Amino acid sequence: MPKKKGKVLITGAAGFIGFHVANRLLNEDYSVVGLDNLNTYYDVNLKESRLNLLRNNPSFKFVRMDLTDKSGIDLLFEQEAFKIVINLAAQAGVRYSIQHPYAYLESNMIGFLNVLEACRHFTPTHLIYASSSSVYGANRKMPLSVHDNVDHPLSLYAATKKSNELMAHTYSNLYGIPTTGLRFFTVYGPYGRPDMALFLFTKAILEGNPIDVYNFGKMKRDFTYVDDIVEGIFRLMTHVPKGNTSWNGFEPDPASSFSPYRLYNIGNNHPVTLDHFIGILETKIGKKAIRNLMPIQPGDVEETFADINDLASATGFSPATPLEQGLEKFVKWYKEYYKIR
């Protein structure tokens, strides 16, 4: 048998993006250890369905564990000797963070610290971790660039993701750990999260129930199809950051460092209004939505628009899945998964 390319840890492997990344890496002949705590933030059955698909591959191993279990994480790193670590586990959701702030500190801060400490002691070649477009907060200069400061988060979720970037830089500086942070922009696709707008809208439209349309449908989002996120991660896995020799402390570039640290946006580079998004979804479902127009919610931003020049330069890849194509695939999956005719 040909030798595997290496062993990769994916935290949050039962989650939306983690599942798709794990599936891709298994198809690319990596050995994958998937870690997840299978919490009840949303339907555990959906998480189990994702895991069952991954378990069909003998190169996949599932470990049920919480990132806050420091001794368990350390032991796992010691036993498995990971080549690459992809940290996608997090307490997600901007609105949920307003009601449940402590969940974010435990998972997104303490959990990430445990990953960093394990990387410090057991030295994988590369740590890739999920950040979020939410870190841009009150920034209004479009497109949103990794070279701009992000010091005005609008939610605790965003603040924890910004903190992850700062923590990663600290460990890159102190211990030479190569870290790459990825700011994802509104990811959607099959096996998506039930708490996200696309899932909620599709379910409500099919059932004839009204949908809540915030900011009266005028919000703009850079919707990014999950396969494009996966492709970006896959290409960056072997693009291990080195210190930027031209980094200047008098004019500090937030996207890079003298340490082996890098940040990238992964977005579609094509924002559309929520109203337009719903219009395409109505077409793909074949049914009109009942729209309940509402003002913008606390913690939400009015627009996201990813500058992806750095990603394109580093990898030669630019996300470009058209919204019509991505939504069609989601609706098809949703109807098959929930057995809707």
Side-chain angles (χ1 to χ4, degrees):
M1 274 183 74
K3 191 177 179 183
K4 292 285 179 184
K5 290 180 180 175
K7 189 178 289 185
V8 180
L9 171 65
I10 300 176
T11 71
F16 171 37
I17 299 173
F19 158 68
H20 283 281
V21 173
N23 196 48
R24 172 68 184 272
L25 296 192
L26 290 168
N27 289 335
E28 296 284 350
D29 212 29
Y30 284 88
S31 295
V32 174
V33 175
L35 181 147
D36 206 290
N37 66 359
L38 296 178
N39 68 27
T40 56
Y41 172 63
Y42 65 77
D43 183 14
V44 175
N45 290 326
L46 180 59
K47 298 179 183 182
E48 289 285 4
S49 295
R50 296 172 183 143
L51 282 177
N52 287 337
L53 291 172
L54 296 175
R55 286 185 176 115
N56 289 333
N57 192 310
S59 295
F60 179 75
K61 175 183 176 181
F62 177 64
V63 176
R64 184 167 184 173
M65 189 185 296
D66 197 290
L67 283 184
T68 58
D69 179 359
K70 178 172 172 18
S71 59
I73 295 295
D74 285 346
L75 183 60
L76 182 68
F77 271 70
E78 183 179 12
Q79 290 174 338
E80 300 289 353
F82 300 114
K83 182 178 181 182
I84 296 170
V85 174
I86 303 176
N87 185 60
L88 300 173
Q91 179 57 60
V94 168
R95 291 166 193 158
Y96 190 78
S97 71
I98 295 169
Q99 307 298 330
H100 304 89
Y102 286 95
Y104 290 76
L105 270 292
E106 289 167 10
S107 177
N108 299 7
M109 303 283 287
I110 295 170
F112 189 56
L113 177 61
N114 288 341
V115 170
L116 287 169
E117 276 288 298
C119 288
R120 167 190 172 188
H121 293 293
F122 301 104
T123 59
T125 59
H126 195 185
L127 167 63
I128 297 174
Y129 62 95
S131 184
S132 168
S133 61
S134 298
V135 300
Y136 288 105
N139 287 21
R140 296 300 297 271
K141 188 180 84 175
M142 298 293 162
L144 298 165
S145 170
V146 288
H147 301 287
D148 294 334
N149 283 319
V150 287
D151 292 329
H152 298 87
L154 300 180
S155 68
L156 184 65
Y157 170 69
T160 63
K161 288 300 188 179
K162 161 77 172 180
S163 299
N164 285 171
E165 296 176 0
L166 297 174
M167 293 163 71
H169 184 269
T170 304
Y171 274 70
S172 292
N173 170 50
L174 289 174
Y175 309 113
I177 301 168
T179 65
T180 297
L182 306 178
R183 294 174 179 171
F184 300 146
F185 281 69
T186 316
V187 190
Y188 74 99
Y191 285 93
R193 282 190 1 232
D195 63 315
M196 294 191 73
L198 174 56
F199 210 107
L200 295 169
F201 289 172
T202 301
K203 184 176 189 292
I205 293 169
L206 285 166
E207 294 174 356
N209 296 323
I211 61 173
D212 292 336
V213 183
Y214 292 104
N215 201 26
F216 309 101
K218 295 175 185 173
M219 281 198 299
K220 284 188 169 183
R221 288 291 180 269
D222 202 350
F223 293 99
T224 312
Y225 190 62
V226 66
D227 287 358
D228 288 335
I229 295 288
V230 172
E231 184 66 28
I233 293 172
F234 179 71
R235 294 197 184 204
L236 285 167
M237 279 172 55
T238 53
H239 196 82
V240 182
K242 298 180 175 64
N244 178 2
T245 55
S246 61
W247 195 88
N248 179 359
F250 291 98
E251 296 177 354
D253 171 20
S256 68
S257 173
F258 49 88
S259 301
Y261 168 91
R262 237 358 214 109
L263 293 172
Y264 295 96
N265 287 333
I266 306 187
N268 206 46
N269 193 233
H270 186 70
V272 301
T273 64
L274 190 56
D275 188 61
H276 181 69
F277 176 83
I278 295 167
I280 298 172
L281 183 59
E282 289 172 328
T283 301
K284 299 304 176 185
I285 292 174
K287 189 175 179 181
K288 284 287 185 184
I290 305 165
R291 304 186 191 206
N292 179 26
L293 300 178
M294 300 178 71
I296 194 167
Q297 282 206 317
D300 273 351
V301 298
E302 291 186 12
E303 180 178 4
T304 63
F305 179 6
D307 179 335
I308 54 172
N309 288 337
D310 285 48
L311 177 70
S313 296
T315 66
F317 170 68
S318 298
T321 301
L323 197 50
E324 291 80 3
Q325 181 182 323
L327 289 180
E328 186 170 314
K329 288 182 177 180
F330 175 81
V331 171
K332 182 175 184 289
W333 166 80
Y334 187 95
K335 288 181 174 180
E336 288 175 357
Y337 184 80
Y338 290 103
K339 299 178 174 57
I340 296 168
R341 296 189 179 185

